Amino acid sequence: IKETVAIASYWRAFNYFYLVTTWGEVPLIVNEDIKLDIPLTSVEKIYEQIITDLKAAEEGCPDNYTTAPYAMNGINVAVSKGAVKATMAYVYMTMAGWPMKKTEYYKEAAAKAKEVIDGANSGKYSYRLLPEYKLIHSEAWNDKNPETLLGIYYNRLNNRSQSPVCDFLQDMKQGGWGDTNGEIKFWKEFPDGPRKEATYFPKIMLNDGVLRDWWENPSGERNVVAPVFMKTTESPSAGQEFDYTDPSGLDSEGNKHHQIIRLAEVYCWYAEAVGRSGQINQQAVDLLNQVRNRADGKASNIYSMSMTPAQLAEAAYNEHGWEIAGYYWCGFATRARDMFRMYRFKDHFEFRVSNPTIEVAPGVFRKEVVPVTGSWSDKKMYAPRPHNEIVINPNLANK
């Protein structure tokens, strides 16, 4: 019962974090009373409840589970203590940023992330980095990925769950919704190497069956010309890895697990929190180098103690963005949430409005096809509340 209540507390905290970072003030419901016109609760009070729930989860969740279905294939399927601590680290980082700006929480974030890292290093927790970035979303490690601190796992049974899929553009040979497009500026700044090769299609195939660079537009009639993310898909045969040069056998449904928090992210959070608290230490530098060395496929060791705390923080912020790029299914700390807490929507919005051309290859220039217009307002920091919810509770009306 204690574990069940702890897990339930965790998921309530998880969901309220999603709500407060998406819509800001929302009704806070912590009992079974039915009240449709419940008033909104302040952002600060919501975060207080989130931390209260996470502390309860931290107290009640075990370090590791030992029996199925809570533990399978040597990993924790249910919420473990390490997953809770990692979640707390990122929540504290968000509380330190916009809109609360309580920067003292960066030290709390670093402390919680360090507990996870030290626990993994000591063997208290079973988490570890996979040796190659491309393995993170592979079929081979799908149901036993030691890097996933928190995941949602599926099995086929009689129904197949929607799996993470590649973001195919509509005019690609295998077809696609084109519902998300990689941004050109982000792709341009993404460091070359195995991580980038595993994140984007190295080449795309249009209806003519020819492998091309994403920026090519042979007919001049393509609606969207943009980098294409290539994260995970499943082929008809379980265990068969996706081959971008032969995309005909894709299946967008399957039993791929959804990765909510990975250990590499915690490494980045620790380094960023240390830097933003005005400090720098060897462990933070070493962890960031581990992330980058794997991304480069070699011992680059580009980060050092000669960095300033601010440089460490920005390097960690960027590494985290590149680590999770293109994977938006259920991720806890998405790129958007990073930009949100650091109040970087405004600058990016204005950049997209200006929409400059970017050199994507020698002598080849492209700009975003999807337009962004208007002027900035902090109201754009949050998503508009759904009309159908406002009809039920007028307190939710957008202002």
Side-chain angles (χ1 to χ4, degrees):
I1 291 174
K2 182 180 179 181
E3 285 183 6
T4 301
V5 172
I7 293 171
S9 297
Y10 175 84
W11 287 115
R12 181 166 66 181
F14 180 98
N15 282 288
Y16 266 106
F17 181 76
Y18 184 99
L19 292 169
V20 77
T21 54
T22 306
W23 288 286
E25 294 182 350
V26 293
L28 181 62
I29 302 171
V30 293
N31 54 48
E32 297 177 357
D33 296 337
I34 297 176
K35 186 179 180 182
L36 297 181
D37 60 346
I38 186 170
L40 305 183
T41 302
S42 70
V43 167
E44 190 162 355
K45 289 292 184 182
I46 293 171
Y47 274 111
E48 287 179 8
Q49 183 63 50
I50 290 171
I51 294 299
T52 296
D53 281 342
L54 288 176
K55 287 181 176 179
E58 184 181 30
E59 173 67 23
C61 289
D63 292 337
N64 296 289
Y65 294 91
T66 58
T67 58
Y70 303 100
M72 293 189 292
N73 303 317
I75 60 171
N76 292 312
V77 173
V79 181
S80 67
K81 196 181 296 292
V84 179
K85 291 178 183 292
T87 302
M88 293 176 77
Y90 194 76
V91 170
Y92 280 134
M93 287 179 68
T94 307
M95 294 170 70
W98 195 91
M100 290 178 61
K101 302 179 183 178
K102 294 192 174 184
T103 56
E104 64 270 21
Y105 281 116
Y106 281 126
K107 290 184 178 179
E108 299 282 352
K112 280 300 169 189
K114 182 174 171 59
E115 289 178 25
V116 177
I117 294 161
D118 290 349
N121 290 340
S122 69
K124 181 179 181 180
Y125 307 135
S126 59
Y127 311 116
R128 62 180 175 84
L129 295 190
L130 289 170
E132 297 179 79
Y133 183 85
K134 68 179 183 180
L135 298 175
I136 290 169
H137 298 290
S138 69
E139 291 278 0
W141 291 98
N142 178 45
D143 59 357
K144 52 181 176 293
N145 191 331
E147 193 164 331
T148 302
L149 275 74
L150 182 68
I152 298 178
Y153 296 82
Y154 296 94
N155 58 63
R156 292 180 184 271
L157 296 178
N158 295 321
N159 298 297
R160 296 185 298 172
S161 61
Q162 182 75 11
S163 74
V165 297
C166 303
D167 292 318
F168 305 125
L169 302 182
Q170 289 179 320
D171 60 358
M172 291 171 68
K173 184 175 182 179
Q174 61 275 26
W177 287 5
D179 51 350
T180 60
N181 304 312
E183 286 190 318
I184 298 172
K185 180 177 182 289
F186 185 82
W187 172 87
K188 176 76 172 180
E189 295 174 348
F190 200 123
D192 291 334
R195 180 172 60 186
K196 189 172 187 177
E197 293 166 5
T199 299
Y200 295 95
F201 274 72
K203 298 281 186 178
I204 65 170
M205 185 180 293
L206 303 180
N207 287 325
D208 57 12
V210 178
L211 285 171
R212 303 178 180 277
D213 293 312
W214 65 261
W215 55 80
E216 293 186 46
N217 189 5
S219 66
E221 298 176 352
R222 297 185 64 194
N223 291 325
V224 176
V225 179
V228 185
F229 287 119
M230 183 186 73
K231 279 299 187 183
T232 56
T233 58
E234 287 194 284
S235 300
S237 301
Q240 181 180 341
E241 300 294 347
F242 169 56
D243 179 3
Y244 75 91
T245 67
D246 181 21
S248 58
L250 289 174
D251 188 352
S252 64
E253 297 182 318
N255 62 350
K256 278 297 222 178
H257 89 280
H258 292 253
Q259 300 173 14
I260 300 177
I261 297 175
R262 288 192 292 109
L263 184 60
E265 293 186 81
V266 183
Y267 285 7
C268 294
W269 300 343
Y270 174 69
E272 183 181 350
V274 167
R276 298 212 189 278
S277 62
Q279 306 293 318
I280 185 170
N281 61 51
Q282 193 64 55
Q283 185 178 22
V285 171
D286 290 345
L287 291 169
L288 207 54
N289 273 326
Q290 285 188 47
V291 173
R292 185 54 178 270
N293 290 349
R294 184 178 68 172
D296 290 343
K298 58 185 178 181
S300 303
N301 292 320
I302 66 171
Y303 303 118
S304 71
M305 287 293 292
S306 65
M307 303 170 72
T308 65
Q311 288 171 334
L312 174 68
E314 283 304 294
Y317 175 90
N318 288 330
E319 289 293 347
H320 182 255
W322 297 323
E323 276 289 307
I324 61 171
Y327 189 78
Y328 58 92
W329 293 72
C330 299
F332 185 67
T334 61
R335 177 68 169 179
R337 286 205 178 101
D338 281 349
M339 295 174 69
F340 172 87
R341 62 182 172 81
M342 293 305 297
Y343 191 71
R344 292 181 177 175
F345 282 175
K346 180 177 183 292
D347 289 345
H348 192 64
F349 173 86
E350 292 173 347
F351 174 84
R352 285 296 303 271
V353 169
S354 67
N355 197 15
T357 56
I358 296 173
E359 188 171 19
V360 298
V364 180
F365 295 85
R366 293 288 181 266
K367 62 167 55 180
E368 300 290 349
V369 177
V370 179
V372 175
T373 60
S375 59
W376 175 258
S377 163
D378 276 358
K379 291 181 180 180
K380 290 182 169 65
M381 291 293 290
Y382 293 114
R385 299 190 184 104
H387 176 71
N388 59 329
E389 297 292 339
I390 297 172
V391 171
I392 297 171
N393 184 355
N395 291 321
L396 290 168
N398 296 295
K399 298 178 182 179

